[in-house]
Amino acid sequence: MSTLRSWMNNRWTIPAVSGILIIAALVILQVSPIDTVGNIVMVAAAVVAGTRIVINAVRALRAKVIGIDLLVSVAAIGAIIIGQYWEAAAVTFLFAIGHALEAATLNKTRSALAELVAVAPDVAIVMRDGEQMEVSAGAVIMGETVLVKNGAKVPVDGEVIGGTGTLDEASITGESMPVEKMIGDRVFAGTVSRSGFLQVSATGVGADTTLARIIHRVEDAQDAKAKTQVFMDRFSSWYTPAIMVLALVVGLLTTDIVLALTLLVIGCPGALVISIPVSIVAGIGRAAKDGILIKGGEFLETSAKITAVAVDKTGTLTMGRPRVTDVVVLDKSMTREQVLTWAGRAEAGSEHPLARAILDAAVGEGLSVTGLPESIEPVPGKGIVVNTSGRRVLIGNLALLAQYGIEDTAAAARVADELAESGRTPMIVAIDDAVVGVVGVADEVRPDAAQMVTNLHAAGVKRVIMLTGDAPLVANAIASITGVGEVRASLLPEEKLNIVTQLQAEGYVVAMVGDGVNDAPALATANIGVAMGAAGSAVAVETADIALMGDNLLKLPEAISLARRTVNNMRQNIAIALITVTLLLLGVLLGGVTMSIGMLVHEASVLIVIINAMRLLRSHGRYTVGTSTISPPTEEHHEYTTALQHR
C-alpha cells in the first residue's frame, strides 16, 4: 500500500501514465479501422495529464489569479470540444512532463539549502549524572556538557571546556580547512570533528543554533522577491489576460478556433515567470554554500550595483584582537605599573574594543584591577571618564582632555603622535587634572585585507573608504598597508552615518562593513549593511543584509561578484523567455507552428531558463593574483607585524 501511495505521489507518475495512453491511442488509431476507441484513449491521456492542471487553474481563479494553468486548461478543453484530441493530449502531456522537469531542476537549485539541512546533527552524547548518554540533538539542555569525538558532528553551539581537536567548519563558514579548537573556543552545530576529543558546554541548542538560523535565513531569502521579480509579477498579471483577449479577438476575426486555442498555449509566460526566482534561489544558495548569507532577492540585486564600500578598521581590516604595545610614563611620581593599573581600573567598566587589551595586559603583569568603578561615563568618539578609588580617571584622546579642562597636554600630544605614526592607537591616561601617561595599543592587520581591497576594485567597486573613530595617523598607517585609498578618521558614529549619506547623495550605491554595534547607524543607512564574522552572532545573522559567516575578508568581493553574475543571469533568462514567446507568436500568426509544437518549444524554453540559472550553483573560484588567491604580505606589512611581536 505504501509503495502504491509512493508511486502515486511521484512527480513522474502522471506524465508516464499519460504518455503510455498516448502511445496506445496512436497504435490503436493505426491498426483499428474505427477511430472511436483510439480517440477515447487519447482523451483519457489528456484527462490524466490535464486534471491536475484544471484543478490548479480553478484554485488560482478562486484566489483571483489568472495564470498559466488556466491558459492550458482552456486550450485543452477547447481542443477536445472541436475534436482535436491529439492536440489536447499532446499539450497536457508536455505541460505535465515540463512541470515534473521544472520541479526536479528547481529542487537542484535549492541544493545548498538541502545540504545545510543534511548536516544538521541528529544525536548528541551528553554527560548526565557522571555517565555518557546518547540523546537527540534537540533534547540537549543549555549548559550541559556535550562530548564530541573524532568523526562526530557537533550537535550544539557551545564553548570548549576541555580537550583539543580540529573541526571542519565548511557548513558554517564555507572554509574547507579544518580549524584547531581548544579551551575557550566557540564551536557550532553541524561542524564535523576531524581529530581529537572535545568537551563542549552547550550555549545554543535546537532552533537557537547558528546552523538553524542559517537554514531559516536561507529559506526566507530564497523566497524573498527582488524588485525586478515584483515588476515581472505585475507584468504577468496583465500579460496573461491580454493573451486571452488576443486569442478571443483572433478567433472572432478569423473564425479559426484552432488558431485561437494555439495562441493561448503559445502565449504562456512560463519561462518569463520563472526566469527571476530561479536565478535568485540558485544565487542565494551558492552564496550560502560559500559562507555568505544574503537576506533576500532585493539585497542580492542591490549588491550587484555596489560602487562604494565603506569599511570599519577595528575587527574588519584588523584582527580585532588588539594588545598593549607601549606604556609611556609622563608623571615622574608614577611607575609604569601604576599607569597601567589606573588604566585597567578605568577600563574595567568599558565596552570599548580596546578596553579588553588593557585589562589583559594589566592582569598578565599581575596588577590589581578587580572590581568595577563607582561611576562610568563613556564619551562617544573621545574615551571614558570614571570615578574609582576616590579618583577621577580619564582615558582617551586629546579631545577628551580638552573637554574636561586638562591643559598641560603637550607631552601627551607628542607621545600620542609618535605612537600613531607607528600604527598604534594612543590612549592618554589622566588622573584628576593631570596627565600621567599614554598607553599604546595595536591591532594586527588581517593578512587578506590588502587583497580584499584589490578584489573589490576588480569587482567594479570604484571607491573603498575607511571610516574609523581612531586617530588619523593610526588610520593612515593601516591604510598604507591595506591599500585603502581614502581615510576618514576620528569619527563619531553619527559622522560615519553622514559620510554614508553623502556618498549616496553623490550617486554611489554604498555597502558598509562593520561590527554592527558602533557602526549601527551607518550600517542601517547604507544600501547594503555587511556583518563580518557573523558565525555565532544571532543579531548579525538576522539583521545584516549580508552576513559573512567567517572572518575571511575575500568573501566580500566574492559576494559582490556573485550578485553581479546572478543579475546577469536574470537578464539572460528574461531575454530567452521574451524572444521565445515573440518568435512563437509570430510563428502562429504567420502559420507553421501548431499547438503541440508550440507547447514543446515553450517547455524547452522553461528548461533552458532553469539550466541557465543552475550554472550559478557551480563554484566560480576566487579572484587570483598570479597563482595564489591571496598575495603575499607586503614588506611594509611584515615590518609592522614584526615590530608588534618584538615590543
Side-chain angles (χ1 to χ4, degrees):
M1 187 69 182
S2 60
T3 304
L4 178 62
R5 188 181 296 110
S6 175
W7 184 78
M8 290 298 294
N9 291 331
N10 190 294
R11 68 170 65 96
W12 295 107
T13 299
I14 289 176
V17 173
S18 178
I20 291 170
L21 289 173
I22 288 174
I23 293 171
L26 292 174
V27 171
I28 292 171
L29 288 171
Q30 288 295 320
V31 301
S32 175
I34 303 173
D35 292 346
T36 304
V37 176
N39 289 337
I40 291 173
V41 175
M42 193 69 80
V43 171
V47 170
V48 167
T51 299
R52 184 174 294 177
I53 301 170
V54 173
I55 292 172
N56 290 338
V58 172
R59 287 174 179 171
L61 277 175
R62 286 176 180 172
K64 299 180 180 179
V65 175
I66 299 176
I68 302 168
D69 294 285
L70 180 62
L71 297 183
V72 176
S73 299
V74 172
I77 293 170
I80 291 174
I81 291 172
I82 63 173
Q84 297 288 328
Y85 308 122
W86 155 248
E87 294 288 359
V91 165
T92 52
F93 168 72
L94 288 170
F95 192 79
I97 201 169
H99 181 76
L101 284 169
E102 287 171 34
T105 49
L106 277 172
N107 285 342
K108 178 65 177 176
T109 65
R110 291 185 180 268
S111 60
L113 181 59
E115 288 177 20
L116 284 173
V117 173
V119 302
D122 298 320
V123 297
I125 298 176
V126 299
M127 294 297 296
R128 291 181 180 173
D129 299 324
E131 296 184 2
Q132 296 185 26
M133 293 184 61
E134 184 174 295
V135 300
S136 68
V140 177
I141 301 169
M142 293 283 282
E144 272 194 312
T145 298
V146 179
L147 305 182
V148 181
K149 302 177 181 180
N150 184 25
K153 289 180 182 178
V154 179
V156 297
D157 282 5
E159 182 177 328
V160 178
I161 58 174
T164 59
T166 58
L167 296 181
D168 180 351
E169 296 187 332
S171 59
I172 301 295
T173 66
E175 296 299 327
S176 58
M177 294 298 293
V179 180
E180 293 281 347
K181 296 292 180 180
M182 57 188 68
I183 294 175
D185 288 342
R186 293 182 62 80
V187 298
F188 308 106
T191 58
V192 181
S193 174
R194 295 304 182 197
S195 67
F197 176 76
L198 297 173
Q199 298 176 52
V200 176
S201 176
T203 59
V205 300
D208 291 328
T209 64
T210 298
L211 178 63
R213 291 194 296 270
I214 292 172
I215 291 171
H216 175 69
R217 171 55 62 208
V218 174
E219 212 167 28
D220 287 348
Q222 288 188 332
D223 291 332
K225 294 185 177 182
K227 290 181 180 178
T228 306
Q229 186 180 349
V230 172
F231 169 78
M232 293 306 298
D233 287 347
R234 290 175 181 170
F235 173 78
S236 62
S237 69
W238 64 260
Y239 171 84
T240 303
I243 288 295
M244 297 187 75
V245 172
L246 175 64
L248 178 62
V249 170
V250 169
L252 291 174
L253 292 176
T254 63
T255 64
D256 189 338
I257 298 177
V258 174
L259 175 62
L261 295 175
T262 304
L263 277 175
L264 284 179
V265 173
I266 300 306
C268 291
L272 195 60
V273 170
I274 205 171
S275 60
I276 297 171
V278 70
S279 296
I280 290 172
V281 166
I284 289 176
R286 178 70 251 177
K289 205 169 185 179
D290 291 337
I292 303 165
L293 288 188
I294 301 176
K295 197 170 185 178
E298 179 182 351
F299 302 102
L300 181 70
E301 201 169 22
T302 302
S303 297
K305 304 173 186 176
I306 291 172
T307 52
V309 173
V311 293
D312 182 39
K313 178 179 72 67
T314 304
T316 303
L317 295 176
T318 61
M319 298 296 289
R321 294 189 293 270
R323 61 190 183 91
V324 172
T325 58
D326 305 83
V327 179
V328 181
V329 181
L330 297 178
D331 187 333
K332 295 180 180 179
S333 67
M334 284 201 171
T335 64
R336 177 186 181 281
E337 288 72 20
Q338 287 175 314
V339 171
L340 185 56
T341 298
W342 283 110
R345 289 176 179 172
E347 293 289 10
S350 172
E351 295 181 353
H352 193 278
L354 301 184
R356 186 75 258 169
I358 294 175
L359 286 169
D360 288 345
V363 172
E365 295 186 19
L367 304 177
S368 177
V369 292
T370 56
L372 293 174
E374 288 85 32
S375 67
I376 305 167
E377 183 186 349
V379 183
K382 297 179 181 179
I384 190 171
V385 180
V386 304
N387 286 301
T388 181
S389 302
R391 309 289 293 273
R392 185 187 72 177
V393 182
L394 290 78
I395 181 165
N397 55 26
L398 289 170
L400 179 68
L401 303 186
Q403 181 174 327
Y404 282 83
I406 298 176
E407 297 178 354
D408 188 13
T409 59
R414 183 178 66 256
V415 172
D417 286 346
E418 290 173 357
L419 291 173
E421 285 177 355
S422 60
R424 294 153 176 77
T425 298
M427 304 179 72
I428 304 170
V429 182
I431 300 176
D432 295 328
D433 295 322
V435 177
V436 297
V438 182
V439 178
V441 179
D443 190 3
E444 185 177 356
V445 175
R446 292 182 186 271
D448 53 359
Q451 188 65 45
M452 177 201 70
V453 175
T454 299
N455 290 356
L456 284 174
H457 289 305
V461 176
K462 297 177 182 177
R463 296 174 69 177
V464 180
I465 306 167
M466 181 196 299
L467 305 183
T468 178
D470 217 336
L473 289 173
V474 175
N476 287 328
I478 302 298
S480 64
I481 295 168
T482 58
V484 175
E486 300 179 55
V487 177
R488 310 287 176 85
S490 299
L491 297 175
L492 299 175
E494 58 266 27
E495 290 175 325
K496 292 184 180 182
L497 182 153
N498 292 337
I499 291 171
V500 169
T501 303
Q502 180 184 345
L503 287 168
Q504 291 171 327
E506 293 173 7
Y508 291 96
V509 177
V510 183
M512 175 69 196
V513 190
D515 58 15
V517 180
N518 294 329
D519 304 310
L523 283 165
T525 303
N527 300 94
I528 294 293
V530 182
M532 271 294 298
S537 171
V539 174
V541 172
E542 292 300 322
T543 61
D545 300 327
I546 295 179
L548 309 181
M549 299 308 296
D551 283 326
N552 185 350
L553 284 175
L554 300 184
K555 294 290 184 185
L556 178 58
E558 194 177 323
I560 295 173
S561 175
L562 175 62
R564 292 189 171 163
R565 294 202 312 275
T566 303
V567 169
N568 286 337
N569 191 276
M570 287 162 52
R571 291 170 179 163
Q572 293 165 5
N573 283 348
I574 291 171
I576 291 169
L578 290 176
I579 290 171
T580 301
V581 170
T582 301
L583 291 177
L584 284 175
L585 287 174
L586 287 174
V588 172
L589 295 174
L590 297 176
V593 175
T594 63
M595 191 185 301
S596 54
I597 291 174
M599 180 54 74
L600 180 64
V601 175
H602 170 266
E603 292 301 332
S605 70
V606 171
L607 290 177
I608 290 171
V609 161
I610 295 175
I611 292 168
N612 185 48
M614 287 174 63
R615 294 189 301 116
L616 293 168
L617 294 175
R618 296 182 303 181
S619 179
H620 194 263
R622 298 176 183 171
Y623 294 98
T624 57
V625 176
T627 58
S628 175
T629 57
I630 303 177
S631 60
T634 63
E635 184 178 346
E636 188 175 12
H637 179 264
H638 177 72
E639 291 175 354
Y640 174 79
T641 52
T642 302
L644 292 182
Q645 293 165 359
H646 291 285
R647 288 191 68 88

